[in-house]
């Protein structure tokens, strides 16, 4: 086939493709035109601001403003504070290593050869390393108090700890809510409804500010762990409801068949019912977890320096005052990367579980 | 548990129901049901839908609770005591109308689950046992598949093999062929006939009267929650005593 004919064919087939996909009715034609116009108006200015006229090496925000583009110089100057906050400057390799460990653990979770017990061991080892690195006090690393655990490591510790530890509690609550024992059922329902009935911020204040008032003075739990506990208890109520939805979708016959085989209640749940219930709950579960990840940003309200709070401090620095968009864009990118990972991960698990089942 | 045993081992019935009553709310589903099944006996229960026959056999492994009367299985009385219930369920296999295989497990894992977790059998031994029973129901080549990939008849045979892996003393069948396409009914009945010929104690709720004639020692006819008639198949089909039995038989055998 010669070149001209190929081109003619290409034009012909792309014309047909466009007719089918972009202009198959007057409404879709209108939408296509509107979207193209919007893109033409929006994309070039954004590229212009973010790339073409951006300054990467400017000494302060004033110099940035002269070129009229994004002031990425703020990020290159401040990225260590944005990521690690007030963690002692010369020790910041430690939180950096913690971030690397978390990313490595998340990636390892995608490897199907590691699924199961091996992965659990890996996570426990990884989290132990995270603890040692953050605290220090051993292997010649100076001790760093939890108040100085700032930025991305704080966000990750809260989120991963919150999600992982809320899960077992949520399973118990979900099973409790469907229990045949009225007292267990009432307790579970009460817990779930009360926790969900108040905003997260209220629980944060209760946990961090009010709970210590009721504790004996020598009974001290560091603020970070009070916060983590509040977070776990809060997420658990939401996760429990998601799991209950999954449980309700399991046909009675599954309970009956496993009971008829002589399996006791806990084994019925663990071996037959929960694996199926959790399998169908993956999309809403991951939705809840993504929400929980982003909810960590609310800890700012009780005086914690998470990723978002670090950015707020940075953008108010006299040298860079006004670099709001740049700071928020940086933080948004980090949040997005983690949330997008979770979303993809759930798709991956779903396809794996779905294989051969239906 | 020994205190709950009633009669000497040899001649006591495998299943004994004494004046069992059960209500769903206001509605009485079982009225004064008494039935005794000896070791090795095959009892076929039939009756119109809603007559309580499924409820009755589900009482035998306590999937349903009876409210009055007594039920003894292998000499153990069914009470609220969860240890008694689980001990009985280990000895009583059940096959359901809807198969109720575990869809998230392979056929092989469906079969090994209870032996491994309830009988504490080593995994390898349980797998050998499972393959043995899969061969018995002529389906060994499907061991690595998931239930959703099998036909209804194959699934029901897997369900029977799954129960047999617990080496039960008694097998309960709750309308095992009612959810099957006609061409698959025979393959399931053949497996059940073979089981009966080996001397398994069986209670079968079914409308398959050909099967009943072939294997049953006793026919039980239920209507409106009560046992109307108990008779050996020879007299049950030829000279039923009750008008209700006669009417029922004419309806299901008539065409």
């Amino acid at each position: 086939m010669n070149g001209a004919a190929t081109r003619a064919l290409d034009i012909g087939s792309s014309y047909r493709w466009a007719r089918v996909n972009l202009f198959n009715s007057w409404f879709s034609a209108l939408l296509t035109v509107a979207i193209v116009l919007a893109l033409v108006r929006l994309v070039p200015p954004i590229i212009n601001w973010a790339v073409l006229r951006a300054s990467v090496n400017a000494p302060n925000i004033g110099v940035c403003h002269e070129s009229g583009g994004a002031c990425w110089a703020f990020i290159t100057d401040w990225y260590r504070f944005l990521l690690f906050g007030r963690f002692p400057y010369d020790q910041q390799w430690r939180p950096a290593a913690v971030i690397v460990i978390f990313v490595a653990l998340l990636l390892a979770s995608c490897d199907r050869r590691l699924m199961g017990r091996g992965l659990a061991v890996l996570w426990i080892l990884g989290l132990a390393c995270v603890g040692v690195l953050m605290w220090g006090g051993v292997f010649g690393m100076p001790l760093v108090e939890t108040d100085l655990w700032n930025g991305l490591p704080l966000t990750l510790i809260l989120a991963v700890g919150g999600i992982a530890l809320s899960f077992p509690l949520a399973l118990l609550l979900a099973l409790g809510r469907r229990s045949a024992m009225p007292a267990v059922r009432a307790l579970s329902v009460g817990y779930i409804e009360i926790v969900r009935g108040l905003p997260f911020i209220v629980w944060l204040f209760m946990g961090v500010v009010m709970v210590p008032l009721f504790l004996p003075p020598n009974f001290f739990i560091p603020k970070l762990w009070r916060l983590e506990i509040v977070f776990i208890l809060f997420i658990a109520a939401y996760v429990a409801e998601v799991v209950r939805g999954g449980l309700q979708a399991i046909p009675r016959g599954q309970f009956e068949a496993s009971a008829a085989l002589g399996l006791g209640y806990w084994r019925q749940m663990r071996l037959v019912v929960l694996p199926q219930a959790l399998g169908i709950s993956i999309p809403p579960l991951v939705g809840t977890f993504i929400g929980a990840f982003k909810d960590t940003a609310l800890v700012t309200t009780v005086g914690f320096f998470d990723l978002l709070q670090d950015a707020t401090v940075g953008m108010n620095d006299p040298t860079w005052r006004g670099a709001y968009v740049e700071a928020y864009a940086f933080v948004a990118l980090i949040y997005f990367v983690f949330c997008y990972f979770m979303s993809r991960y759930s798709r991956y698990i779903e396809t794996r579980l779905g294989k051969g089942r239906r | 548990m020994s205190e709950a045993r009633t009669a000497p081992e040899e001649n006591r019935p495998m299943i004994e129901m004494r004046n069992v009553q059960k209500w769903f709310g206001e509605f009485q589903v079982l009225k004064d049901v008494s039935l005794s099944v000896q070791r090795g006996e095959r009892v076929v229960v039939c009756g119109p839908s809603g007559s309580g026959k499924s409820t009755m056999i589900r009482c035998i492994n306590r999937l349903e609770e009876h409210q009055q009367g007594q039920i003894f299985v292998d000499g153990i009385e069914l009470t609220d005591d969860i240890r008694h219930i689980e001990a009985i369920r280990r000895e009583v296999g059940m096959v359901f109308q809807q198969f109720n295989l575990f869809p998230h497990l392979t056929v092989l894992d469906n079969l090994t689950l209870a032996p491994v977790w309830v009988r504490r059998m080593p995994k390898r031994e349980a797998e050998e046992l499972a393959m043995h029973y899969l061969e018995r129901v002529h389906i060994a080549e499907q061991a690595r598949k998931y239930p959703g990939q099998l036909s209804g008849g194959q699934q029901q045979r897997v369900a029977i093999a799954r129960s047999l892996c617990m080496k039960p003393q008694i097998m309960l069948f709750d309308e095992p062929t009612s959810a099957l396409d006609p061409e698959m009914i025979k393959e399931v009945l053949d497996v059940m006939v073979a089981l009966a010929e080996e001397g398994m104690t069986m209670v079968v709720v079914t409308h398959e009267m050909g099967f009943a004639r072939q294997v049953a020692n006793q026919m039980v006819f239920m209507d409106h929650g009560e046992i109307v008639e108990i008779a050996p198949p020879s007299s049950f089909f030829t000279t039923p005593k009750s008008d209700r039995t006669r009417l029922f038989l004419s309806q299901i055998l008539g065409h």
Side-chain angles (χ1 to χ4, degrees):
Chain A
M1 211 184 279
N2 64 45
T6 317
R7 198 154 48 237
L9 197 73
D10 281 352
I11 291 168
S13 66
S14 42
Y15 173 74
R16 272 194 300 280
W17 182 89
R19 259 205 82 96
V20 171
N21 291 291
L22 300 178
F23 298 99
N24 63 354
S25 71
W26 66 266
F27 181 69
S28 87
L30 206 67
L31 268 184
T32 305
V33 171
I35 288 169
V36 168
L37 277 180
L39 287 177
V40 168
R41 291 289 294 274
L42 287 174
V43 172
I46 289 176
I47 292 177
N48 200 20
W49 176 82
V51 182
L52 298 179
R53 306 174 73 173
S55 331
V56 183
N57 288 316
N60 60 52
I61 188 114
V63 179
C64 283
H65 281 165
E66 280 163 25
S67 58
C71 196
W72 301 127
F74 161 66
I75 306 291
T76 45
D77 191 30
W78 269 74
Y79 76 96
R80 283 179 64 167
F81 186 83
L82 295 181
L83 288 175
F84 311 126
R86 298 166 301 156
F87 204 91
Y89 194 80
D90 59 335
Q91 293 291 316
Q92 284 183 356
W93 62 271
R94 283 155 54 182
V98 163
I99 294 173
V100 171
I101 289 174
F102 270 121
V103 170
L105 286 173
L106 292 175
L107 292 178
S109 308
C110 296
D111 191 331
R112 62 183 314 168
R113 283 166 303 174
L114 289 173
M115 284 287 166
R117 204 156 292 172
L119 193 60
V121 171
L122 214 59
W123 269 95
I124 290 167
L125 286 177
L127 292 181
C129 291
V130 165
V132 169
L133 282 167
M134 292 304 285
W135 252 302
V138 285
F139 308 126
M141 295 185 290
L143 186 75
V144 177
E145 289 300 333
T146 51
D147 287 350
L148 299 179
W149 299 14
N150 298 163
L152 185 56
L154 175 69
T155 298
L156 289 174
I157 288 169
L158 282 174
V160 169
I163 290 169
L165 296 177
S166 68
F167 198 58
L169 178 61
L171 293 185
L172 291 179
L173 285 169
L175 292 174
R177 193 163 184 169
R178 287 171 54 85
S179 166
M181 290 177 272
V184 174
R185 203 164 51 230
L187 273 176
S188 309
V189 173
Y191 178 89
I192 291 169
E193 296 306 339
I194 291 171
V195 169
R196 294 200 311 167
L198 293 180
F200 183 43
I201 293 194
V202 173
W203 292 116
L204 280 180
F205 276 107
M206 285 208 205
V208 176
V209 184
M210 284 177 62
V211 169
L213 299 179
F214 300 108
L215 291 176
N218 53 350
F219 189 83
F220 177 74
I221 311 173
K223 207 170 151 193
L224 175 65
W225 305 126
R226 293 206 300 270
L227 189 69
E228 182 83 284
I229 291 168
V230 170
F231 198 47
I232 291 165
L233 296 178
F234 183 76
I235 306 172
Y238 284 84
V239 175
E241 285 297 275
V242 171
V243 174
R244 182 169 71 101
L247 286 174
Q248 276 168 344
I250 305 302
R252 246 177 81 120
Q254 294 291 308
F255 295 81
E256 290 179 351
S258 46
L261 284 168
L263 294 167
Y265 175 80
W266 292 107
R267 283 185 188 145
Q268 285 175 36
M269 295 304 131
R270 194 176 112 214
L271 300 169
V272 175
V273 176
L274 280 176
Q276 296 181 59
L278 295 180
I280 48 181
S281 305
I282 288 174
L285 268 180
V286 173
T288 309
F289 290 156
I290 288 177
F293 184 79
K294 292 180 297 185
D295 277 351
T296 57
L298 286 171
V299 301
T300 339
T301 54
V302 286
F304 275 86
F305 283 67
D306 77 321
L307 193 55
L308 191 61
Q309 181 62 13
D310 285 356
T312 315
V313 172
M315 70 179 89
N316 285 310
D317 177 69
T319 322
W320 303 104
R321 191 186 302 273
Y324 306 122
V325 183
E326 291 82 352
Y328 284 132
F330 179 72
V331 171
L333 181 70
I334 293 177
Y335 275 113
F336 177 77
V337 166
F338 281 97
C339 292
Y340 187 68
F341 171 83
M342 284 194 260
S343 164
R344 295 301 306 185
Y345 190 61
S346 90
R347 291 284 300 277
Y348 163 76
I349 296 282
E350 271 183 88
T351 24
R352 268 208 47 203
L353 290 178
K355 223 168 266 177
R357 290 273 180 89
R358 275 158 265 285
Chain B
M1 257 170 252
S2 53
E3 75 279 1
R5 294 185 186 271
T6 49
E9 195 101 9
E10 315 79 58
N11 48 18
R12 76 163 184 248
M14 284 301 279
I15 303 169
E16 187 164 19
M17 305 180 92
R18 292 184 195 156
N19 311 102
V20 171
Q21 319 259 8
K22 178 173 175 62
W23 289 262
F24 284 135
E26 295 284 287
F27 179 70
Q28 190 168 7
V29 271
L30 293 180
K31 298 175 191 160
D32 206 22
V33 168
S34 294
L35 179 71
S36 158
V37 181
Q38 300 298 322
R39 182 180 294 275
E41 221 178 1
R42 275 91 57 191
V43 174
V44 169
V45 185
C46 61
S49 63
S51 60
K53 50 197 191 310
S54 280
T55 309
M56 184 193 73
I57 75 162
R58 287 160 58 87
C59 281
I60 297 172
N61 63 353
R62 195 86 168 176
L63 289 183
E64 303 282 357
E65 225 169 277
H66 59 285
Q67 282 129 7
Q68 281 178 27
Q70 289 177 298
I71 302 177
F72 296 89
V73 179
D74 200 14
I76 304 171
E77 182 172 4
L78 272 170
T79 58
D80 284 332
D81 191 330
I82 190 74
R83 284 165 309 161
H84 286 192
I85 295 172
E86 284 177 7
I88 286 169
R89 283 175 178 168
R90 284 196 288 273
E91 304 305 325
V92 179
M94 186 163 210
V95 175
F96 299 85
Q97 183 177 352
Q98 298 295 341
F99 329 134
N100 295 343
L101 294 176
F102 307 133
H104 62 301
L105 300 176
T106 62
V107 165
L108 192 63
D109 289 339
N110 264 276
L111 267 68
T112 56
L113 188 79
V116 168
W117 289 95
V118 180
R119 294 253 189 254
R120 303 244 156 250
M121 194 181 276
K123 179 91 179 159
R124 171 157 311 182
E125 201 182 315
E127 281 179 2
E128 280 169 18
L129 182 76
M131 289 312 292
H132 167 74
Y133 281 112
L134 283 176
E135 272 158 33
R136 285 259 311 266
V137 300
H138 317 295
I139 208 162
E141 69 283 0
Q142 315 282 6
R144 304 279 165 194
K145 288 192 181 168
Y146 286 90
Q149 297 167 299
L150 305 183
S151 73
Q154 290 173 321
Q155 289 194 48
Q156 193 61 300
R157 284 185 281 148
V158 171
I160 293 172
R162 178 175 70 177
S163 284
L164 292 176
C165 279
M166 284 296 281
K167 305 217 167 127
Q169 310 272 334
I170 301 167
M171 285 287 284
L172 307 176
F173 293 84
D174 187 3
E175 306 210 27
T177 56
S178 301
L180 295 176
D181 292 334
E183 74 271 20
M184 295 170 182
I185 291 177
K186 188 173 179 300
E187 66 189 51
V188 172
L189 291 180
D190 285 346
V191 169
M192 290 167 63
V193 169
L195 203 57
E197 280 164 359
E198 285 162 31
M200 175 67 79
T201 311
M202 292 163 73
V203 181
V204 185
V205 173
T206 185
H207 290 148
E208 296 295 331
M209 290 302 129
F211 168 81
R213 277 203 182 93
Q214 195 177 346
V215 306
N217 307 101
Q218 280 197 84
M219 294 297 300
V220 173
F221 174 68
M222 288 185 75
D223 197 11
H224 298 297
E226 44 190 10
I227 293 184
V228 177
E229 189 160 349
I230 302 182
S234 50
S235 59
F236 182 83
F237 288 107
T238 50
T239 54
K241 292 189 207 79
S242 151
D243 289 342
R244 282 195 272 174
T245 314
R246 208 167 298 132
L247 178 66
F248 175 76
L249 285 176
S250 74
Q251 278 163 345
I252 64 165
L253 300 173
H255 48 88

